[in-house]
């Protein structure tokens, strides 16, 4: 499969974002060892951005200034996954982090694992399609955790790229059920 240089550059940026997100949320997870159940899984599909982004824009001056550019990227019909970025992140690097991250799962696969082990503390991390803006120096991405129909949480992360490194600048619209 041939990947264009533009697509490869975008997936490399997405891989850098995943590394920041995984490092943040998997930090306290124990490494998988024989006989130990890993409790945090990663959802393979990129969640589409929807009208919730409009609410998030209203809560940040930076986002308000870039609202037109951000709104153009709201598309509920996307059907993309994280596999290219996931592979870039973990091919021959970041092996300690990889040992904490389960392989990508579909929602159906997560439900099977959840039902098999019956652990109420299992979570599925869902990451939206990143919205890059302001000359690709900022990105807005939603990170949500699904446990079951009643226990979920998440927030939008606003990240800034400084000297080639992405850092979390702000958590917006945090929620939990």
């Amino acid at each position: 499969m041939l990947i264009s240089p533009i697509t490869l550059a975008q997936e490399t940026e997405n891989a850098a974002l995943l590394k920041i997100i995984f490092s943040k949320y998997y930090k306290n997870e124990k490494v998988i060892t024989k006989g130990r159940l890993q409790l945090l899984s990663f959802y393979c599909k990129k969640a589409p951005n929807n009208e919730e982004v409009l609410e998030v824009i209203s809560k940040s001056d930076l986002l308000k200034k870039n609202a037109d550019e951000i709104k153009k990227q709201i598309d509920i019909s996307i059907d993309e996954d994280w596999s290219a970025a996931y592979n870039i992140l973990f091919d021959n690097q970041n092996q300690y982090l990889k040992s904490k991250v389960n392989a990508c799962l579909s929602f159906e696969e997560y439900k099977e694992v959840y039902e098999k082990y019956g652990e109420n503390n299992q979570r599925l991390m869902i990451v939206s399609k990143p919205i890059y803006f302001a000359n690709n120096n900022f990105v807005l991405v939603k990170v949500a955790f699904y446990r079951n129909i009643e226990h979920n949480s998440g927030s939008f992360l606003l990240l800034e790229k400084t000297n080639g490194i992405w850092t979390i600048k702000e958590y917006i619209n945090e929620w939990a059920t």
Side-chain angles (χ1 to χ4, degrees):
M1 177 171 85
L2 296 175
I3 298 176
S4 74
I6 293 171
T7 303
L8 182 59
Q10 186 64 60
E11 291 303 335
T12 301
E13 288 297 324
N14 287 344
L17 288 177
L18 280 183
K19 183 176 181 182
I20 297 298
I21 293 167
F22 286 165
S23 295
K24 164 73 178 145
Y25 291 106
Y26 284 94
K27 180 171 46 178
N28 295 327
E29 291 295 317
K30 301 264 189 272
V31 173
I32 297 173
T33 57
K34 187 176 180 179
R36 184 186 180 284
L37 177 64
Q38 174 72 334
L39 300 174
L40 185 55
S41 298
F42 179 61
Y43 182 60
C44 292
K45 290 283 190 180
K46 291 179 184 175
N49 292 300
N50 58 28
E51 61 277 352
E52 185 180 8
V53 174
L54 301 176
E55 180 183 338
V56 172
I57 290 171
S58 72
K59 296 183 177 187
S60 165
D61 289 337
L62 175 65
L63 298 178
K64 287 177 191 174
K65 289 177 189 172
N66 293 279
D68 290 339
E69 185 179 2
I70 294 168
K71 288 177 185 178
K72 289 177 186 174
Q73 297 180 62
I74 296 173
D75 180 3
I76 61 169
S77 66
I78 67 153
D79 186 20
E80 298 177 12
D81 64 45
W82 285 104
S83 60
Y86 186 90
N87 291 336
I88 290 169
L89 176 60
F90 292 131
D91 280 351
N92 302 317
Q93 58 184 342
N94 303 301
Q95 295 306 301
Y96 180 73
L97 182 58
K98 183 177 184 178
S99 68
K100 294 181 170 197
V101 178
N102 281 333
C104 286
L105 297 177
S106 68
F107 184 71
E108 293 75 22
E109 291 167 327
Y110 169 76
K111 293 290 282 181
E112 287 176 19
V113 171
Y114 183 88
E115 289 171 10
K116 180 179 178 181
Y117 294 103
E119 296 285 334
N120 193 34
N121 54 355
Q122 292 181 63
R123 304 169 313 288
L124 180 66
M125 177 191 281
I126 302 167
V127 180
S128 71
K129 178 177 174 67
I131 298 175
Y132 292 91
F133 62 96
N135 295 319
N136 291 333
N137 289 315
F138 291 92
V139 66
L140 184 65
V141 63
K142 181 178 180 180
V143 177
F145 295 92
Y146 176 86
R147 223 180 350 172
N148 59 40
I149 198 70
E150 298 171 347
H151 301 286
N152 307 295
S153 62
S155 71
F156 279 83
L157 305 181
L158 176 61
L159 293 99
E160 181 177 17
K161 190 174 189 178
T162 307
N163 298 322
I165 306 292
W166 288 106
T167 56
I168 300 172
K169 181 177 174 136
E170 188 176 355
Y171 297 85
I172 306 170
N173 232 28
E174 292 182 271
W175 57 275
T177 61

